Amino acid sequence: MHGCVPGLMSTTRHLPVKTVPTAKLPSAAAWGVGMSPVFDTFLANDSIVTTESLGSPDGDLRLYPDLDRLVALAGQPGWAWAPVDRITQEGERHPGCSRTVLRRIVTEAAERHRITFEAGIEIEWAVGRGPAADGDFVPAVSGPAYGATRQVELSDYAADLLAACAAQGIEVAQLHPEYAAGQFEISTSALDPVAAADVSVLVRQTIRAVAQRHGLVVSFAPAVFAEGVGNGGHLHLSAWREGVNLHSSGKGRYGMTREAESFVAGVLAHLHALTALTAPSPASYLRLRPSQWAGVFTAWGRETREAAVRIVTGTAGLTDRAANLELKPVDLAANPYLALTGLIAAGLDGLTSAMPLPREITGDPALLTADRAAALGVRRLPTSLSQAVRAFRADEQLRAALGPVLADAVVAVRFGESDSVADLDDEQIAAAYRWKY
Ligand code: GLU
Ligand code: MG
C-alpha cells in the first residue's frame, strides 16, 4: 500500500483530504495529521467566508484517522482510506468536527432515552461520458429510465463497482438504473449512524474511482440539469430500544410506537430548518420541486413518494427488522454527518415533547388546494437556500445539536453560497455545481 487518505467532510460541499505515506500511518494514528480549521467555511467555488470562530488564517488542528474503519481502496489500488475525527492541538474534540457532533447526539440518545439508531443513505448519481467539452454532461447510457438496457450498457462498470464495494466490506442492498439521464442508484444496508455516514462517503469515493478506471465521469450534484429529476440522497432511519424496532412494535399507525409517531412529528415540525442541512446547495432547490419524487411538502405517508417523510413498513414477515422512516428532501451536497445529526435532533425533540403525528397524506400534495393543504398542515418546503437558512437560524434545537461553531458555519456558508449565485439563472446554477459533488 502506498498511502492512506484520511477523509473528512466540511460543512458543505466536497471532501477535503490529506494523505500520508503508509510508513507514516502509525504516527498519524498516534499524533494526528495537521489541518487548518478553515475548511468548514469554504464555498463550492473555493472562496472562503468567515464566522466568529472559523475562516481565519490562524490556528491548526489534528486529524485522527479512525483505524477501525481503515479500508484498502479497491478502486484506487495502492491506497487506503479512513474517516477522521478532528481534535484540537490541546487534545480536545474540535467543535467543527461533524463526525463528533453526530456521535454525540447518538450517545445522548442512548443515555437519555435508551434509544439506538440504524441508518442508511441512498446514493443516486449520473454517469457521463467523459471528459465532455465545456463541462457538459453527456449521459453514458441511452436506455430508458430503470431500463435493463442501461444495466447492459454499463455492465462492466457496475460489476466492478459491486466487486469494489464487496472488497471494502460494504454491504450493498441494491444497485439499479434510475430515472434521469445516465442516472443510477445504490443502497447499502443499515448501520449505526456514524458508520452509515462513513460508508456514504466511502461509497461515493468508490463510485468515482471505479468510473474513472472505465473512462467515465460521475456527478452527485442535486441537479445535473436545471430541469427534470435530480440526484437524491434519501436518509433512512429507525429508532430501537433493547433490540426492538420502535417503528414496528407499537399500536400506532402502521405499527409505530407512540414514540416513533412523535419522532416523525418532530421531523416534520423542524423540516424547514432541517432542509438547510439536508439540501445545502443552491442547486438543491432546482431538485426540490413538486412531482419529482423529492418530497417537498411537510407531510408523511406510507410508501408515498411525494411526501417528505415516507413511512416504510417493510414486507409482511420482515416488518420488525425493516420498518423505518425515509426522509426525501436530502441530496448528496449534504454533509451526511450533519444531515443525520439534524434528523435525529428533530426527531428526538418530537419524541421528548410527545408531539402528535398529523394526518397521513396520500397522493401528490401538489394537487391539494391551498385551503385543504393549510387545513392538513401541509406546507411547501423552502424554495431557496436562503429561505432554508433563515429557518435554520431561527431553530434553537437544530442549532444546539450542531453547537455554536458549526451552526454559525452552516449559516455563513449557506448565505455565502446563496450570494455567489445571485446573478445566475437556473441553467447557470446547475452548471456551476454540476461537477462540484
Ligand atoms: N431522484 C429522486 C430524488 O431526487 C428520487 C427517486 C426515488 O424515489 O428513488 O429524490
Ligand atoms: Mg431513487
Side-chain angles (χ1 to χ4, degrees):
M1 195 194 302
H2 303 313
C4 171
V5 186
L8 66 152
M9 198 85 195
S10 63
T11 312
T12 177
R13 74 171 293 219
H14 74 320
L15 295 159
V17 295
K18 289 261 175 147
T19 67
V20 294
T22 312
K24 286 283 179 212
L25 189 56
S27 138
W31 303 108
V33 178
M35 193 195 80
S36 160
V38 81
F39 285 98
D40 285 302
T41 48
F42 262 68
L43 302 185
N45 64 12
D46 291 337
S47 63
I48 301 170
V49 294
T50 51
T51 68
E52 244 170 54
S53 43
L54 292 175
S56 121
D58 305 333
D60 207 27
L61 55 81
R62 310 299 293 173
L63 306 176
Y64 279 80
D66 184 340
L67 296 185
D68 291 341
R69 299 235 194 281
L70 183 75
V71 55
L73 291 174
Q76 291 171 259
W79 290 92
W81 173 91
V84 298
D85 289 314
R86 302 188 218 180
I87 312 277
T88 67
Q89 287 175 312
E90 286 68 44
E92 309 285 326
R93 297 276 169 200
H94 190 274
C97 182
S98 52
R99 195 166 185 259
T100 301
V101 160
L102 176 57
R103 192 183 298 112
R104 184 175 65 207
I105 200 163
V106 167
T107 305
E108 276 172 16
E111 287 172 1
R112 284 198 199 148
H113 305 288
R114 293 182 299 117
I115 283 178
T116 56
F117 295 102
E118 288 198 359
I121 302 173
E122 294 178 8
I123 295 179
E124 292 183 335
W125 78 103
V127 189
R129 293 255 162 257
D134 300 329
D136 269 359
F137 175 82
V138 181
V141 290
S142 52
Y146 306 107
T149 49
R150 283 196 194 182
Q151 200 275 331
V152 174
E153 288 175 90
L154 286 191
S155 186
D156 289 348
Y157 168 59
D160 283 357
L161 178 56
L162 287 179
C165 288
Q168 293 171 179
I170 296 166
E171 205 177 295
V172 172
Q174 210 183 102
L175 167 63
H176 67 270
E178 251 289 343
Y179 187 91
Q183 197 179 36
F184 284 75
E185 173 174 336
I186 199 165
S187 45
T188 49
S189 299
L191 294 166
D192 79 80
V194 174
D198 291 342
V199 163
S200 134
V201 173
L202 176 59
V203 170
R204 279 178 266 172
Q205 175 99 358
T206 307
I207 288 171
R208 191 182 298 286
V210 175
Q212 183 168 307
R213 293 167 80 78
H214 285 262
L216 301 165
V217 290
V218 296
S219 171
F220 299 99
V224 177
F225 297 108
E227 298 295 327
V229 171
N231 287 323
H234 304 175
L235 296 180
H236 288 263
L237 190 74
S238 51
W240 299 66
R241 186 177 289 117
E242 282 149 19
V244 177
N245 186 345
L246 301 185
H247 301 262
S248 63
S249 55
K251 296 191 166 49
R253 278 160 281 181
Y254 302 117
M256 281 186 269
T257 59
R258 186 131 313 199
E259 284 180 310
E261 283 198 355
S262 292
F263 194 95
V264 173
V267 173
L268 293 175
H270 288 280
L271 200 50
H272 278 61
L274 185 56
T275 310
L277 300 178
T278 59
S281 168
S284 303
Y285 297 82
L286 301 174
R287 166 181 171 258
L288 286 185
R289 286 177 173 152
S291 313
Q292 300 197 151
W293 291 8
V296 300
F297 293 95
T298 57
W300 72 275
R302 182 185 181 207
E303 303 295 1
T304 52
R305 284 177 182 74
E306 288 299 343
V309 177
R310 169 189 181 191
I311 297 298
V312 181
T313 54
T315 310
L318 281 179
T319 54
D320 54 340
R321 282 233 40 82
N324 69 84
L325 71 87
E326 177 186 47
L327 185 67
K328 288 184 169 288
V330 188
D331 62 57
L332 300 167
N335 172 327
Y337 302 96
L338 294 184
L340 279 167
T341 301
L343 175 60
I344 291 171
L348 286 178
D349 184 43
L351 185 146
T352 42
S353 341
M355 284 184 197
L357 185 63
R359 270 178 61 179
E360 180 182 16
I361 303 295
T362 53
D364 188 346
L367 303 176
L368 295 171
T369 63
D371 287 350
R372 185 84 187 117
L376 292 167
V378 172
R379 292 192 299 147
R380 173 82 163 84
L381 285 182
T383 54
S384 70
L385 181 56
S386 54
Q387 267 182 30
V389 188
R390 281 196 291 274
F392 174 81
R393 199 172 47 184
D395 190 309
E396 293 300 328
Q397 278 93 356
L398 292 199
R399 286 182 62 91
L402 266 58
V405 169
L406 271 179
D408 285 356
V410 162
V411 171
V413 165
R414 306 290 187 264
F415 277 136
E417 210 66 70
S418 175
D419 289 348
S420 76
V421 299
D423 299 327
L424 304 188
D425 64 26
D426 287 356
E427 272 311 331
Q428 290 169 321
I429 292 175
Y433 293 94
R434 184 173 295 142
W435 303 114
K436 297 292 182 187
Y437 307 107

mmCIF file of all heavy atoms in Angstrom, residues 348-368:
data_model
loop_
_atom_site.group_PDB
_atom_site.id
_atom_site.type_symbol
_atom_site.label_atom_id
_atom_site.label_comp_id
_atom_site.label_asym_id
_atom_site.label_seq_id
_atom_site.Cartn_x
_atom_site.Cartn_y
_atom_site.Cartn_z
ATOM 1 N N LEU A 348 -35.861 13.603 17.964
ATOM 2 C CA LEU A 348 -35.819 13.500 19.429
ATOM 3 C C LEU A 348 -36.599 14.633 20.086
ATOM 4 O O LEU A 348 -37.202 14.460 21.146
ATOM 5 C CB LEU A 348 -34.376 13.504 19.931
ATOM 6 C CG LEU A 348 -33.582 12.201 19.699
ATOM 7 C CD1 LEU A 348 -32.155 12.364 20.204
ATOM 8 C CD2 LEU A 348 -34.249 10.999 20.351
ATOM 9 N N ASP A 349 -36.610 15.794 19.450
ATOM 10 C CA ASP A 349 -37.414 16.890 20.009
ATOM 11 C C ASP A 349 -38.899 16.507 19.964
ATOM 12 O O ASP A 349 -39.634 16.730 20.939
ATOM 13 C CB ASP A 349 -37.162 18.184 19.232
ATOM 14 C CG ASP A 349 -37.916 19.347 19.856
ATOM 15 O OD1 ASP A 349 -37.915 19.451 21.100
ATOM 16 O OD2 ASP A 349 -38.528 20.144 19.104
ATOM 17 N N GLY A 350 -39.314 15.919 18.865
ATOM 18 C CA GLY A 350 -40.700 15.460 18.784
ATOM 19 C C GLY A 350 -41.007 14.417 19.844
ATOM 20 O O GLY A 350 -42.048 14.453 20.507
ATOM 21 N N LEU A 351 -40.067 13.498 20.027
ATOM 22 C CA LEU A 351 -40.259 12.406 20.986
ATOM 23 C C LEU A 351 -40.341 12.927 22.427
ATOM 24 O O LEU A 351 -41.251 12.574 23.182
ATOM 25 C CB LEU A 351 -39.106 11.415 20.815
ATOM 26 C CG LEU A 351 -39.109 10.117 21.594
ATOM 27 C CD1 LEU A 351 -38.461 9.011 20.758
ATOM 28 C CD2 LEU A 351 -38.332 10.260 22.895
ATOM 29 N N THR A 352 -39.418 13.827 22.788
ATOM 30 C CA THR A 352 -39.423 14.313 24.172
ATOM 31 C C THR A 352 -40.628 15.220 24.432
ATOM 32 O O THR A 352 -41.137 15.267 25.542
ATOM 33 C CB THR A 352 -38.128 15.079 24.533
ATOM 34 O OG1 THR A 352 -37.790 15.907 23.440
ATOM 35 C CG2 THR A 352 -36.985 14.168 24.816
ATOM 36 N N SER A 353 -41.103 15.928 23.413
ATOM 37 C CA SER A 353 -42.288 16.768 23.633
ATOM 38 C C SER A 353 -43.582 16.021 23.304
ATOM 39 O O SER A 353 -44.639 16.637 23.269
ATOM 40 C CB SER A 353 -42.249 18.041 22.793
ATOM 41 O OG SER A 353 -41.001 18.357 22.335
ATOM 42 N N ALA A 354 -43.474 14.720 23.027
ATOM 43 C CA ALA A 354 -44.664 13.898 22.705
ATOM 44 C C ALA A 354 -45.536 14.569 21.650
ATOM 45 O O ALA A 354 -46.761 14.666 21.783
ATOM 46 C CB ALA A 354 -45.466 13.590 23.972
ATOM 47 N N MET A 355 -44.899 15.060 20.597
ATOM 48 C CA MET A 355 -45.663 15.740 19.533
ATOM 49 C C MET A 355 -46.623 14.757 18.872
ATOM 50 O O MET A 355 -46.248 13.629 18.575
ATOM 51 C CB MET A 355 -44.708 16.272 18.455
ATOM 52 C CG MET A 355 -43.966 17.516 18.844
ATOM 53 S SD MET A 355 -42.978 18.093 17.419
ATOM 54 C CE MET A 355 -41.852 19.205 18.242
ATOM 55 N N PRO A 356 -47.854 15.202 18.631
ATOM 56 C CA PRO A 356 -48.797 14.318 17.932
ATOM 57 C C PRO A 356 -48.501 14.265 16.438
ATOM 58 O O PRO A 356 -48.143 15.274 15.833
ATOM 59 C CB PRO A 356 -50.154 14.977 18.200
ATOM 60 C CG PRO A 356 -49.847 16.411 18.459
ATOM 61 C CD PRO A 356 -48.437 16.499 18.990
ATOM 62 N N LEU A 357 -48.641 13.076 15.862
ATOM 63 C CA LEU A 357 -48.404 12.922 14.427
ATOM 64 C C LEU A 357 -49.624 13.417 13.657
ATOM 65 O O LEU A 357 -50.747 13.001 13.939
ATOM 66 C CB LEU A 357 -48.150 11.436 14.113
ATOM 67 C CG LEU A 357 -47.771 11.100 12.676
ATOM 68 C CD1 LEU A 357 -46.463 11.750 12.280
ATOM 69 C CD2 LEU A 357 -47.669 9.580 12.505
ATOM 70 N N PRO A 358 -49.422 14.320 12.690
ATOM 71 C CA PRO A 358 -50.581 14.788 11.920
ATOM 72 C C PRO A 358 -51.177 13.665 11.066
ATOM 73 O O PRO A 358 -50.642 12.552 11.041
ATOM 74 C CB PRO A 358 -49.996 15.886 11.026
ATOM 75 C CG PRO A 358 -48.534 15.935 11.255
ATOM 76 C CD PRO A 358 -48.161 14.936 12.286
ATOM 77 N N ARG A 359 -52.235 13.998 10.356
ATOM 78 C CA ARG A 359 -52.883 13.005 9.493
ATOM 79 C C ARG A 359 -51.992 12.582 8.347
ATOM 80 O O ARG A 359 -51.202 13.376 7.842
ATOM 81 C CB ARG A 359 -54.164 13.605 8.911
ATOM 82 C CG ARG A 359 -55.368 13.349 9.781
ATOM 83 C CD ARG A 359 -56.582 13.998 9.197
ATOM 84 N NE ARG A 359 -56.925 13.481 7.871
ATOM 85 C CZ ARG A 359 -57.987 13.902 7.179
ATOM 86 N NH1 ARG A 359 -58.771 14.834 7.676
ATOM 87 N NH2 ARG A 359 -58.258 13.391 6.008
ATOM 88 N N GLU A 360 -52.164 11.353 7.936
ATOM 89 C CA GLU A 360 -51.404 10.853 6.785
ATOM 90 C C GLU A 360 -51.904 11.515 5.497
ATOM 91 O O GLU A 360 -53.093 11.816 5.367
ATOM 92 C CB GLU A 360 -51.588 9.336 6.678
ATOM 93 C CG GLU A 360 -50.825 8.745 5.517
ATOM 94 C CD GLU A 360 -51.032 7.241 5.366
ATOM 95 O OE1 GLU A 360 -51.987 6.691 5.967
ATOM 96 O OE2 GLU A 360 -50.236 6.625 4.633
ATOM 97 N N ILE A 361 -50.986 11.724 4.574
ATOM 98 C CA ILE A 361 -51.350 12.277 3.266
ATOM 99 C C ILE A 361 -51.099 11.202 2.212
ATOM 100 O O ILE A 361 -50.037 10.578 2.202
ATOM 101 C CB ILE A 361 -50.474 13.507 2.934
ATOM 102 C CG1 ILE A 361 -50.590 14.575 4.022
ATOM 103 C CG2 ILE A 361 -50.802 14.074 1.561
ATOM 104 C CD1 ILE A 361 -51.948 15.207 4.180
ATOM 105 N N THR A 362 -52.054 10.989 1.352
ATOM 106 C CA THR A 362 -51.806 10.072 0.227
ATOM 107 C C THR A 362 -51.839 10.881 -1.066
ATOM 108 O O THR A 362 -52.382 11.977 -1.107
ATOM 109 C CB THR A 362 -52.884 8.962 0.159
ATOM 110 O OG1 THR A 362 -54.162 9.596 0.143
ATOM 111 C CG2 THR A 362 -52.801 8.035 1.351
ATOM 112 N N GLY A 363 -51.232 10.340 -2.089
ATOM 113 C CA GLY A 363 -51.207 11.035 -3.370
ATOM 114 C C GLY A 363 -50.211 12.175 -3.372
ATOM 115 O O GLY A 363 -49.377 12.291 -2.472
ATOM 116 N N ASP A 364 -50.310 13.017 -4.368
ATOM 117 C CA ASP A 364 -49.344 14.102 -4.536
ATOM 118 C C ASP A 364 -49.861 15.367 -3.844
ATOM 119 O O ASP A 364 -50.869 15.947 -4.279
ATOM 120 C CB ASP A 364 -49.133 14.369 -6.038
ATOM 121 C CG ASP A 364 -47.985 15.352 -6.284
ATOM 122 O OD1 ASP A 364 -47.546 16.007 -5.315
ATOM 123 O OD2 ASP A 364 -47.546 15.447 -7.451
ATOM 124 N N PRO A 365 -49.191 15.825 -2.775
ATOM 125 C CA PRO A 365 -49.672 17.027 -2.074
ATOM 126 C C PRO A 365 -49.722 18.255 -2.989
ATOM 127 O O PRO A 365 -50.432 19.216 -2.690
ATOM 128 C CB PRO A 365 -48.632 17.231 -0.969
ATOM 129 C CG PRO A 365 -47.947 15.925 -0.811
ATOM 130 C CD PRO A 365 -47.991 15.265 -2.151
ATOM 131 N N ALA A 366 -48.982 18.227 -4.094
ATOM 132 C CA ALA A 366 -49.019 19.371 -5.018
ATOM 133 C C ALA A 366 -50.417 19.570 -5.580
ATOM 134 O O ALA A 366 -50.760 20.668 -6.037
ATOM 135 C CB ALA A 366 -48.033 19.149 -6.167
ATOM 136 N N LEU A 367 -51.237 18.515 -5.532
ATOM 137 C CA LEU A 367 -52.578 18.617 -6.108
ATOM 138 C C LEU A 367 -53.621 19.119 -5.108
ATOM 139 O O LEU A 367 -54.772 19.344 -5.469
ATOM 140 C CB LEU A 367 -53.012 17.238 -6.656
ATOM 141 C CG LEU A 367 -52.056 16.632 -7.704
ATOM 142 C CD1 LEU A 367 -52.509 15.248 -8.122
ATOM 143 C CD2 LEU A 367 -51.952 17.556 -8.922
ATOM 144 N N LEU A 368 -53.215 19.293 -3.836
ATOM 145 C CA LEU A 368 -54.154 19.812 -2.835
ATOM 146 C C LEU A 368 -54.426 21.293 -3.102
ATOM 147 O O LEU A 368 -53.515 22.022 -3.506
ATOM 148 C CB LEU A 368 -53.570 19.682 -1.425
ATOM 149 C CG LEU A 368 -53.335 18.266 -0.882
ATOM 150 C CD1 LEU A 368 -52.552 18.348 0.430
ATOM 151 C CD2 LEU A 368 -54.674 17.562 -0.653
#
